[in-house]
Amino acid sequence: MPSAIKGDSIFYRLSFTSAILIFLVLIGIILSLIDGGWLALSEFGPGFVFRNVWDPVNSEFGAASAIYGTLVSSLIAIVIAIPVGLGTAVFLAELAPDWISRPVSMAIELLAAVPSIIYGMWGLFVFAPWFSEGFQFWALENLVGLPLIGHWFDGPPIGIGLLTAGIILSFMILPIITALTRDALKTIPNVVREAAYGVGATPYEVITRVLLPSIKNAAVGAGILGLGRALGETMAVAFVIGGANRIETSLFMPASSISSTIAQQFNEATNEMHISALISLGLVLFVLTFIVMGAARLLLRKR
Amino acid sequence: MPVRKLKNYAFMGFCTFCALFGLMVLASVLYSLIGKGISGMGLHVFTELTPGPGSHGGLKNAIVGSLILTALGILIAAPLGVLAGTWLSESDKSSKIAEALRFLNGMLMSAPSILVGLFVYKVVVVTTGSFSGWAGAIALAILALPIIVSTTEEMLRLVPTTLKEAGSGLGAPRWRVITQLCYRAAGPGIVTGILLSVARITGETAPLLFTALNSNFMSTDLDKPMANLPVTIYQYAMSPFESWNELAWAGALLITVFILIINILSTALPRWIKARKAAK
């Protein structure tokens, strides 16, 4: 039946071409970032990554402040989201009865469906004023004097800034971390729990010494996946980080991340060097997320 | 042993607190979204165009634009994604190319969406010389593609081999087995994947900033900048005008309700189809 064979080969080619498209798009993204950022990269060299200037007026650019903002805000996000996410996952999978766990799980998944721009608005209009009057004033009175960490809180209590961005990011990645670790906990067979309780262990001991170690890979993978999301998140950060391209030791000061800098400045950038510098920032972000997400995928695959 | 018990209670308390904390954040987000969104809501939101600085108006052009961009994005991504997913599911599991493509698909899924915006800006906007609805739709399509690819592959892999063997046994060529048997069996799952990708791209803002841009006019011309809800929300929320802020909240409520409905549909639809099949 030659017609059937012809149909098969057409279908195969169509589907294979579509599959190759994934590769082409990804290569296209990399090439367009390199091409678009070439002007800035060749002007400032590999040192672009470490240069701490961002001066569109004099066409002097360096990525250090944006990278700093991205890394610090993402770090704050996972420092909050990993323990809270783990705790929630344990509560849902191990402690709560089904009639609580089911609706709460659904509610947490609902958090994941809310688009990031809404977290940004909520952060700016609801969280920031509350945070400024509550925590920031308190911190200025009580934490600034502390050794080592005191200067983190030495800044204007304006509600927005690096710390606020990190906290909003942590709310955004919380559902992912919770869902992945809860699912991993659910895959552990019940006999393991029964055996552990059988020797007289408390829930705390069963969970921290038996269950959590056995899902270590999945939990670490979930954390890294959350970190990857936080690194690339744009809108939630653009609202609350303040948009200042400086490196400050205080977490209360306005700052900027890679993605928020691109989002806020791209359409206003008029000279070519500025546009190119912004696209080079995109390339830096791509490399950062590629490393982090690659690591997460490797960890999540090995069960 | 009181120390062990104490530790245990502290731990259980911590976990419960964490769950409550997550719920509190959700409640606060929903509370402000509904509270502030409803007060800005009204018929004018759907019938009037986006206003100039400080004046009153609605979101009609942004709503229409968003619907067009999302629909077009899905129309581009769905056939390509389903075909690519089919190729992956039909390929040998240990095939190196398939494995590499699966990995790249994962990378594309987690690539920051703003980079997709930059890519489409370089390829479409710079080439054609203007921001356009097409550019926006292509950016959204790229974001939807990997989700559709991976759900399609998963769903097709769940189709029992016996079904395919039965089809092939009747002398049907492979493409007929796939399109007429496998797609039918995996259909509800594939539709779920497409719906999930709709939910994902509806709220995307960053990739539209440099592709579709925004517009204060009613336009369905895909060669021109196109109004859309996310960018309008961003611009209006960041503005100092009270009336614009109100519209931003109304738009945010609209988008969230839409996404929730799509999410509910995506879980309810396969069940509903199954129930109907069982009733037959």
Side-chain angles (χ1 to χ4, degrees):
Chain A
M1 261 197 279
S3 72
I5 293 168
K6 207 174 160 199
D8 268 359
S9 94
I10 291 173
F11 188 79
Y12 180 84
R13 273 183 212 164
L14 264 179
S15 61
F16 184 64
T17 316
S18 309
I20 289 296
L21 197 67
I22 299 162
F23 170 73
L24 292 179
V25 167
L26 209 60
I27 290 292
I29 292 176
I30 298 170
L31 288 182
S32 71
L33 290 176
I34 294 176
D35 177 48
W38 193 250
L39 193 62
L41 288 175
S42 54
E43 169 83 20
F44 304 115
F48 175 74
V49 179
F50 304 108
R51 270 168 64 105
N52 181 22
V53 276
W54 191 268
D55 184 358
V57 181
N58 295 313
S59 272
E60 285 291 325
F61 298 101
S65 64
I67 294 176
Y68 174 82
T70 304
L71 292 181
V72 173
S73 60
S74 305
L75 196 70
I76 296 170
I78 55 168
V79 163
I80 299 171
I82 288 180
V84 177
L86 264 179
T88 312
V90 166
F91 175 81
L92 293 176
E94 305 294 328
L95 304 178
D98 209 38
W99 61 270
I100 294 181
S101 149
R102 204 175 279 255
V104 174
S105 301
M106 269 170 65
I108 302 260
E109 266 155 39
L110 217 149
L111 259 179
V114 174
S116 63
I117 188 167
I118 285 153
Y119 282 96
M121 286 177 75
W122 178 79
L124 182 66
F125 288 109
V126 181
F127 183 77
W130 178 82
F131 188 62
S132 136
E133 278 169 33
F135 179 75
Q136 288 194 320
F137 273 105
W138 177 82
L140 277 177
E141 279 175 8
N142 300 300
L143 296 179
V144 173
L146 293 177
L148 283 175
I149 61 163
H151 59 266
W152 291 355
F153 307 104
D154 191 7
I158 46 176
I160 57 173
L162 206 46
L163 186 57
T164 311
I167 294 173
I168 299 292
L169 276 177
S170 77
F171 296 160
M172 281 204 59
I173 62 175
L174 189 63
I176 309 168
I177 296 179
T178 305
L180 284 175
T181 36
R182 186 203 57 197
D183 289 349
L185 280 172
K186 292 233 165 185
T187 59
I188 301 174
N190 253 333
V191 282
V192 176
R193 291 185 187 87
E194 283 157 17
Y197 284 118
V199 295
T202 61
Y204 166 73
E205 288 160 345
V206 174
I207 291 161
T208 53
R209 295 197 199 157
V210 180
L211 301 184
L212 288 183
S214 73
I215 60 152
K216 205 175 76 198
N217 272 348
V220 174
I224 303 180
L225 215 61
L227 175 64
R229 282 274 170 99
L231 287 174
E233 177 47 44
T234 309
M235 300 321 292
V237 178
F239 272 95
V240 292
I241 199 163
N245 288 95
R246 290 190 302 265
I247 295 182
E248 305 267 5
T249 47
S250 169
L251 299 178
F252 286 181
M253 292 297 275
S256 60
S257 72
I258 295 177
S259 54
S260 74
T261 307
I262 301 173
Q264 289 168 342
Q265 298 185 5
F266 199 79
N267 285 332
E268 288 160 16
T270 42
N271 76 56
E272 267 180 64
M273 186 59 82
H274 193 183
I275 293 180
S276 181
L278 288 169
I279 298 180
S280 327
L281 277 187
L283 186 63
V284 174
L285 178 61
F286 188 88
V287 173
L288 273 179
T289 31
F290 200 88
I291 295 170
V292 168
M293 298 313 261
R297 255 160 228 294
L298 285 178
L299 275 172
L300 282 173
R301 192 178 293 170
K302 281 183 205 151
R303 280 277 157 87
Chain B
M1 279 176 214
V3 182
R4 280 181 66 208
K5 277 206 164 166
L6 224 63
K7 260 190 185 169
N8 184 41
Y9 285 130
F11 177 72
M12 282 165 73
F14 170 76
C15 292
T16 315
F17 167 79
C18 289
L20 281 176
F21 179 78
L23 281 181
M24 257 166 49
V25 172
L26 176 74
S28 172
V29 171
L30 289 184
Y31 176 78
S32 25
L33 190 61
I34 293 169
K36 298 186 191 223
I38 293 248
S39 67
M41 198 57 84
L43 205 59
H44 63 277
V45 170
F46 301 94
T47 55
E48 286 173 38
L49 297 185
T50 46
S55 51
H56 290 268
L59 296 167
K60 182 181 164 195
N61 47 341
I63 295 169
V64 172
S66 263
L67 288 175
I68 293 175
L69 289 176
T70 307
L72 199 59
I74 291 297
L75 277 179
I76 299 171
L80 293 172
V82 168
L83 279 171
T86 310
W87 188 82
L88 285 177
S89 78
E90 288 290 302
S91 68
D92 199 342
K93 257 233 153 149
S94 57
S95 145
K96 282 269 182 300
I97 302 180
E99 205 174 312
L101 283 178
R102 223 168 275 132
F103 178 77
L104 293 178
N105 191 57
M107 296 314 288
L108 190 59
M109 198 174 331
S110 46
S113 59
I114 194 164
L115 298 183
V116 172
L118 284 181
F119 167 60
V120 177
Y121 170 83
K122 282 292 287 178
V123 172
V124 182
V125 176
V126 172
T127 318
T128 59
S130 93
F131 297 103
S132 62
W134 280 114
I138 292 171
L140 294 182
I142 292 176
L143 289 168
L145 184 71
I147 305 173
I148 299 177
V149 171
S150 69
T151 42
T152 305
E153 188 196 352
E154 268 171 46
M155 291 307 149
L156 284 176
R157 283 208 185 272
L158 291 178
V159 175
T161 336
T162 44
L163 188 70
K164 291 187 211 166
E165 284 167 358
S168 301
L170 287 172
R174 207 166 172 186
W175 69 275
R176 291 212 133 191
V177 173
I178 294 169
T179 52
Q180 297 187 330
L181 291 175
C182 298
Y183 281 170
R184 187 167 291 187
I190 296 174
V191 171
T192 301
I194 294 175
L195 284 176
L196 283 178
S197 68
V198 173
R200 160 87 198 269
I201 64 174
T202 324
E204 279 291 351
T205 316
L208 295 178
L209 285 172
F210 345 115
T211 52
L213 202 64
N214 202 356
S215 139
N216 271 336
F217 307 104
M218 185 71 217
S219 162
T220 50
D221 185 352
L222 285 165
D223 291 328
K224 294 212 174 89
M226 188 171 267
N228 57 84
L229 270 177
V231 177
T232 307
I233 292 173
Y234 178 50
Q235 289 171 345
Y236 281 17
M238 287 295 235
S239 85
F241 309 113
E242 192 85 5
S243 59
W244 276 18
N245 289 349
E246 252 185 22
L247 271 181
W249 280 107
L253 180 62
L254 268 183
I255 280 198
T256 311
V257 168
F258 180 78
I259 290 174
L260 285 186
I261 291 174
I262 297 282
N263 266 313
I264 293 168
L265 262 184
S266 73
T267 49
L269 200 69
R271 270 188 222 160
W272 184 72
I273 291 174
K274 244 185 217 165
R276 258 190 50 159
K277 267 187 191 160
K280 262 182 191 172

